[in-house]
């Protein structure tokens, strides 16, 4: 219709002035209007282009449209069916066919003016501006007294059929059969699938032609991901290391990874819908379906989500030493792609919600801040609150994939109540096989948790000191036998001699007993001294061992206790497929549910625009 099909692959700015005018007309013709208003469509055009444009208007009018245009270029006014002249103040001074207007105004010219030139439309301006010919009010009153006023205004307003110029009637006659094609019911319907492909191709063409926006969108992800490199320089390259790592740094780096995806994804899509509001409403009036339009935005967002997630994941793996292998890499990539896609859906939702492009950034920020604050990583929150944030599910997936809490989740001792755990002795923890409690908490082969190896003390692996034996028994006190009795008859020399001999033997026995007793007591004193020395050594060894255990176990258990208290919802036993994979699929399913809810939210918001 516009005769510019040969320029369909050019941008608007590359077209000539006349072609741009045709395009602006074509934009309105998309809805196939029956009534068409134009305000000076030929201004700024050269005479040839202006003539071509007016012929185009004539052609569209012949197709059954009512076209009303304002113009000061009178060369081609004769192409119109009716012409309206207004004097200053908006007074109607003529309404009717163009050729009759020339005859009407010609009667107010002087004889000299008629001899000099024939009546032209340009001269009507001079007549209306000439105060000697009458004021605007007088011109309006003259027209009311003319038969043209009765014929073209009064009679038509009273229900008469509008008069059609002979040329217009003739030109419309062959078009009568095609006129029904202008009705909405007979418009050619385009399938939803074809609309999806058309809109997708248009989105790609627009993006490909906007080199700066495309470059910025492609560069944003790797540039933001470089923050991981900065963090690795500050926090260390291996936060997961058993000896030198730090679980707090693990939480920071993994949660920021989710924030990168959600924030950049949302900001990149915040104007995708609102920037096309005028175009959308116009095309919606014709035959545009909402679902193909939204899907054409969503699938491109999904492509960029995968690209951005790949950039974040690759650079993060280059910046930090991550646990696991290729499988874990792709699992993190999938989780991050879901998070980024959820962020992009938030951006599209904000774009659909925004009344204009200026409001979109603020709405996106209002939607993004809860993703950071309520994600559950910075501040422990009830799951009923954090479950509504995409960052929570992405972070939970990352923690499970990296396996930071796998050994803790497998340790049944951490399932006990805090009071029961506090009542357990070191011997109880060993006897019950606690993997991440007691001295096992600082051994990597039983509890591989970042940073706990720093509390390990080799003394805890030394054999438990043996207590000394029983205290040496004190020797019994000696019992001195009674001396031999003295003879009753001291004058009996034989008895006295026997007594003295027995006394001598008795004294010798007493001396032997005393010497033996002294030797026993000396031996006892030596033994008791050795025993006491062994007791002191044992006590010192016991204290050192207990101190080594306490200095290693207490801080390790304190760290584990804090993480179990705040982040136990992120711990899963990776060695148990029956728990690990359902856990991971749950995080992905929650992300997909959020994406789906936002998708339908966008559809509802777009549908509301139709009502408005």
């Amino acid at each position: 219709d516009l005769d510019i099909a040969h320029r369909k692959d050019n941008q608007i700015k590359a077209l000539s002035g006349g072609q741009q005018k045709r395009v602006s007309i074509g934009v309105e013709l998309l809805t196939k209007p029956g009534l068409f208003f134009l305000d000076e469509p030929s201004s700024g055009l050269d005479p040839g282009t202006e003539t071509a444009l007016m012929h185009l208007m004539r052609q569209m009018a012949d197709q059954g449209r009512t076209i009303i245009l304002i113009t000061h270029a009178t060369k081609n006014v004769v192409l119109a069916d009716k012409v309206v002249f207004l004097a200053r103040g908006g007074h109607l001074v003529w309404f009717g066919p163009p050729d009759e207007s020339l005859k009407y105004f010609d009667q107010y010219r002087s004889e000299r003016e008629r001899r000099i030139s024939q009546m032209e439309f340009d001269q009507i301006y001079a007549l209306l501006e000439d105060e000697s010919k009458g004021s605007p009010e007088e011109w309006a009153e003259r027209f009311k007294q003319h038969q043209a006023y009765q014929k073209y205004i009064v009679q038509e307003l009273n229900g008469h059929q509008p008069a059609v110029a002979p040329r217009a009637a003739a030109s419309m006659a062959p078009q009568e059969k095609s006129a029904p094609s202008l009705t909405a019911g007979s418009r050619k319907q385009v399938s939803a699938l074809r609309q999806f492909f058309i809109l997708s191709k248009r989105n790609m063409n627009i993006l490909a032609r906007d080199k700066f926006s495309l470059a910025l969108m492609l560069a944003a992800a790797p540039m933001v991901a470089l923050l991981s490199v900065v963090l690795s320089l500050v926090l260390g390259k291996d936060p997961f290391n058993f000896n030198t790592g730090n679980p707090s740094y693990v939480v920071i780096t993994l949660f920021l990874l989710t924030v990168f995806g959600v924030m950049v994804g949302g900001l990149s899509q915040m104007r995708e819908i609102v920037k096309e509001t005028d175009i959308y409403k116009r095309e919606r009036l014709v035959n545009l379906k909402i679902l193909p339009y939204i899907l054409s935005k969503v699938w491109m967002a999904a492509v960029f989500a995968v690209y951005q997630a790949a950039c974040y994941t690759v650079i993060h793996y280059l910046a930090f030493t991550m646990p696991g292998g290729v499988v874990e890499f792709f699992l993190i990539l999938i989780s991050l792609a879901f998070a980024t896609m959820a962020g992009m859906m938030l951006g599209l939702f904000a774009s659909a919600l925004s009344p204009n492009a200026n409001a979109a950034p603020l709405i996106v920020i209002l939607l993004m801040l809860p993703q950071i604050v309520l994600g559950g990583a910075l501040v422990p929150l009830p799951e009923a609150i954090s479950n509504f944030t995409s960052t929570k599910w992405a972070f939970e997936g990352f923690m499970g994939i990296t396996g930071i809490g796998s050994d803790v989740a497998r340790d049944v001792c951490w399932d006990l109540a805090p009071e029961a755990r506090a009542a357990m002795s070191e011997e109880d923890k060993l006897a019950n096989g606690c993997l991440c409690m007691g001295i096992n908490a600082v051994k990597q082969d039983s509890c591989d948790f970042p940073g706990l190896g720093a509390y390990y003390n080799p003394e805890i692996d030394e054999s438990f000191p043996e207590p000394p034996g029983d205290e040496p028994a004190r020797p019994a006190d000696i019992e001195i036998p009674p001396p031999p009795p003295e003879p009753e008859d001291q004058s009996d020399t034989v008895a006295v001699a026997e007594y003295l001999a027995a006394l001598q033997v008795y004294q010798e026995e007493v001396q032997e007993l005393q010497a033996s007793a002294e030797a026993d007591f000396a031996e006892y004193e030596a033994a008791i001294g050795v025993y006491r020395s062994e007791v002191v050594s044992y006590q010192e060894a016991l204290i050192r061992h207990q101190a080594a255990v306490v200095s290693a176990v207490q801080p390790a258990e304190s760290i584990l206790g804090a993480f179990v208290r705040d982040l136990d919802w992120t711990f899963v036993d990776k060695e148990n497929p029956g728990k690990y994979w359902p856990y991971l699929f749950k995080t992905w399913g929650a992300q997909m549910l959020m994406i789906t809810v936002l998708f339908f939210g966008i559809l509802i918001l777009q549908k509301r625009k139709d009502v408005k």
Side-chain angles (χ1 to χ4, degrees):
D1 289 345
L2 302 176
D3 194 25
I4 52 173
H6 61 289
R7 302 300 302 275
K8 66 180 182 179
D9 294 325
N10 295 88
Q11 290 184 288
I12 304 300
K13 63 183 181 182
L15 303 179
S16 65
Q19 290 171 337
Q20 290 185 6
K21 292 284 187 180
R22 290 171 179 252
V23 170
S24 65
I25 294 172
V27 167
E28 304 301 334
L29 291 179
L30 287 173
T31 58
K32 301 187 183 300
L35 181 60
F36 200 21
F37 291 90
L38 299 99
D39 185 12
E40 299 200 38
S42 60
S43 63
L45 301 181
D46 60 84
T49 305
E50 187 265 337
T51 299
L53 185 64
M54 290 297 292
H55 279 282
L56 175 63
M57 297 296 102
R58 177 70 261 166
Q59 179 184 352
M60 291 191 296
D62 292 341
Q63 292 174 354
R65 297 181 178 88
T66 299
I67 298 178
I68 300 176
L69 61 87
I70 299 171
T71 182
H72 290 92
T74 58
K75 176 183 177 182
N76 296 287
V77 170
V78 70
L79 294 173
D81 296 317
K82 297 285 196 306
V83 63
V84 178
F85 281 95
L86 299 176
R88 289 185 182 274
H91 295 281
L92 179 64
V93 297
W94 175 259
F95 176 79
D99 51 352
E100 292 187 23
S101 68
L102 293 177
K103 296 178 181 178
Y104 171 73
F105 287 103
D106 188 49
Q107 62 180 320
Y108 296 102
R109 293 200 304 165
S110 63
E111 290 295 332
R112 181 173 177 276
E113 289 173 332
R114 293 193 187 99
R115 288 195 302 270
I116 295 176
S117 63
Q118 293 183 346
M119 185 65 183
E120 299 289 345
F121 291 104
D122 295 345
Q123 298 173 358
I124 298 176
Y125 293 114
L127 286 175
L128 296 176
E129 291 294 330
D130 189 351
E131 295 182 358
S132 63
K133 304 292 185 180
S135 64
E137 292 80 2
E138 293 174 339
W139 279 106
E141 189 62 30
R142 291 170 188 168
F143 175 61
K144 289 181 180 180
Q145 304 302 322
H146 195 268
Q147 62 179 357
Y149 181 83
Q150 296 296 323
K151 181 178 181 181
Y152 299 117
I153 294 181
V154 176
Q155 293 181 10
E156 292 188 10
L157 289 178
N158 289 335
H160 288 237
Q161 292 294 326
V164 180
R167 180 187 67 256
S171 62
M172 290 182 63
Q175 300 293 335
E176 290 178 357
K177 294 182 179 180
S178 61
S181 64
L182 297 174
T183 63
S186 62
R187 288 171 181 156
K188 182 180 178 181
Q189 296 297 314
V190 182
S191 68
L193 182 61
R194 177 161 173 75
Q195 285 192 11
F196 168 75
F197 285 118
I198 293 173
L199 293 168
S200 298
K201 182 179 179 181
R202 181 170 73 181
N203 290 337
M204 289 188 292
N205 288 338
I206 293 173
L207 186 60
R209 287 172 177 172
D210 191 352
K211 299 294 191 300
F212 179 78
S213 296
L214 179 60
L216 184 61
M217 187 170 292
L218 294 176
M223 290 177 65
V224 171
L226 289 177
L227 292 175
S228 294
V229 177
V230 177
L231 289 176
S232 69
L233 297 176
V234 177
L235 305 180
K237 187 176 177 62
D238 192 2
F240 292 91
N241 189 277
F242 178 72
N243 296 309
T244 61
N246 189 319
S248 297
Y249 293 168
V250 171
V251 172
I252 291 172
T253 55
L254 292 182
F255 187 68
L256 284 179
L257 193 59
T258 68
V259 173
F260 292 165
V262 174
M263 290 290 289
V264 177
L267 293 174
S268 67
Q269 300 295 314
M270 65 181 180
R271 286 193 173 94
E272 281 300 307
I273 294 177
V274 69
K275 71 179 182 181
E276 298 178 351
T277 299
D278 293 337
I279 298 174
Y280 169 81
K281 290 181 177 179
R282 186 179 293 115
E283 294 179 348
R284 182 74 174 144
L285 291 174
V286 185
N287 62 352
L288 178 64
K289 298 178 175 64
I290 296 179
L291 186 60
Y293 177 77
I294 300 302
L295 286 176
S296 69
K297 301 292 184 183
V298 170
W299 85 265
M300 288 193 66
V303 171
F304 279 107
V306 174
Y307 163 76
Q308 292 184 6
C311 291
Y312 300 141
T313 306
V314 170
I315 296 179
H316 193 84
Y317 264 74
L318 293 175
F320 295 100
T321 301
M322 298 291 289
V326 176
V327 174
E328 283 74 13
F329 172 85
F330 281 103
L331 292 179
I332 286 183
L333 174 60
I334 293 172
S335 296
L336 188 53
F338 277 124
T340 307
M341 185 61 193
M344 290 191 169
M345 293 301 292
L346 275 175
L348 290 175
F349 183 84
S351 187
L353 183 62
S354 301
N356 53 66
N358 293 330
L362 182 58
I363 294 178
V364 166
I365 292 174
L366 294 177
L367 293 176
M368 290 298 169
L369 286 179
Q371 298 290 324
I372 301 174
V373 178
L374 306 181
L378 301 181
V379 180
L381 294 170
E383 291 193 25
I385 297 177
S386 59
N387 280 346
F388 293 98
T389 62
S390 174
T391 50
K392 182 262 186 186
W393 294 104
F395 173 71
E396 184 176 350
F398 292 162
M399 293 286 282
I401 294 169
T402 57
I404 178 175
S406 181
D407 291 331
V408 180
R410 191 165 59 253
D411 188 353
V412 294
C413 297
W414 281 105
D415 293 333
L416 299 174
E419 297 79 9
R421 295 199 304 264
M424 294 176 68
S425 65
E426 296 301 322
E427 291 75 13
D428 294 336
K429 297 172 184 176
L430 289 174
N432 288 282
C434 298
L435 297 178
C436 288
M437 291 184 70
I439 61 176
N440 284 337
V442 292
K443 294 183 178 181
Q444 188 172 10
D445 56 351
S446 64
C447 186
D448 190 1
F449 194 84
L452 295 189
Y455 302 104
Y456 174 76
N457 189 331
E459 292 184 7
I460 66 176
D461 286 333
E462 296 179 359
S463 59
F464 202 85
E466 293 292 335
D470 296 334
E471 183 177 353
R474 183 178 182 278
D477 293 334
I478 62 173
E479 293 183 1
I480 300 176
E486 296 181 2
E488 294 179 359
D489 187 4
Q490 295 293 326
S491 62
D492 187 352
T493 57
V494 175
V496 170
E498 289 177 354
Y499 166 75
L500 291 174
L503 183 61
Q504 180 67 34
V505 172
Y506 168 77
Q507 290 177 344
E508 290 177 356
E509 289 178 355
V510 170
Q511 289 178 353
E512 288 178 2
L513 288 174
Q514 289 177 340
S516 175
E518 289 178 359
D520 290 342
F521 273 100
E523 183 179 352
Y524 167 73
E525 291 295 336
I528 200 67
V530 172
Y531 173 76
R532 290 173 178 173
S533 176
E534 290 177 351
V535 169
V536 171
S537 298
Y538 166 73
Q539 291 176 341
E540 290 177 351
L542 182 61
I543 291 173
R544 286 195 303 269
H545 188 274
Q546 291 177 341
V549 171
V550 170
S551 64
V553 172
Q554 282 190 350
E557 288 187 349
S558 297
I559 292 174
L560 290 172
F563 274 82
V564 168
R565 182 186 67 247
D566 298 336
L567 297 172
D568 64 323
W569 49 275
T570 66
F571 292 172
V572 63
D573 182 7
K574 285 188 66 177
E575 296 184 6
N576 187 342
K579 292 183 178 180
Y580 174 63
W581 289 106
Y583 165 94
L584 192 57
F585 287 135
K586 180 188 71 173
T587 64
W588 293 350
Q591 297 274 50
M592 294 176 65
L593 178 62
M594 290 183 181
I595 292 171
T596 303
V597 170
L598 289 171
F599 176 78
F600 283 105
I602 295 170
L603 290 178
I604 294 172
L605 290 175
Q606 286 298 102
K607 183 64 178 176
R608 288 182 61 190
K609 294 179 180 179
D610 295 342
V611 178
K612 294 179 180 180

